[in-house]
Amino acid sequence: MVNASGLDTTVIDAAYLVDAALLKGHVSSGVTLCAKNLFGATSINPDWHKNAHDGFRHNVDGSASYAAFVDYLGHKDLGEKTILFLVDGLYGSDNADGPPRRKWKMVPFNDA
């Protein structure tokens, strides 16, 4: 496994970013909202199993620990360029694997 070593040139060259996320949980970090999307702007391997994911697991007792998301949100080409954080609540998933599986059963969605 390797850690990311750089940022995608489209992020570096961008004047601003819009970050949209789905509601989904992660085994090690719970709900990450828009912060985890910024991980995809790094030089990670498209097969996420081959990437190191240090700094995402939080202490279950609530004590302070390092969180990689803070670095992403504070980075000049990531969080500082993001002018809109948008969370789509129409679709959600209880984990990060695969597309969302939860559907609204009520009208007007009718499980569609």
Side-chain angles (χ1 to χ4, degrees):
M1 286 203 197
V2 297
N3 285 311
S5 60
L7 292 177
D8 190 270
T9 55
T10 55
V11 173
I12 294 169
D13 294 342
Y16 62 87
L17 301 173
V18 173
D19 191 349
L22 291 172
L23 292 175
K24 63 181 178 178
H26 296 275
V27 173
S28 65
S29 300
V31 176
T32 58
L33 302 176
C34 295
K36 186 69 185 278
N37 283 347
L38 298 175
F39 184 69
T42 64
S43 59
I44 62 172
N45 189 308
D47 179 357
W48 67 271
H49 294 94
K50 296 179 180 177
N51 297 292
H53 283 71
D54 296 338
F56 295 120
R57 185 170 299 282
H58 301 290
N59 295 337
V60 295
D61 65 0
S63 62
S65 64
Y66 170 74
F69 300 132
V70 175
D71 292 336
Y72 292 135
L73 293 170
H75 192 278
K76 68 180 181 69
D77 288 315
L78 298 173
E80 286 188 28
K81 285 185 179 179
T82 304
I83 61 169
L84 177 64
F85 292 95
L86 176 69
V87 179
D88 178 356
L90 289 178
Y91 298 97
S93 184
D94 54 356
N95 63 54
D97 297 328
R101 293 183 304 271
R102 305 259 186 228
K103 295 182 180 179
W104 290 87
K105 298 192 182 292
M106 67 181 147
V107 175
F109 304 102
N110 300 323
D111 202 33

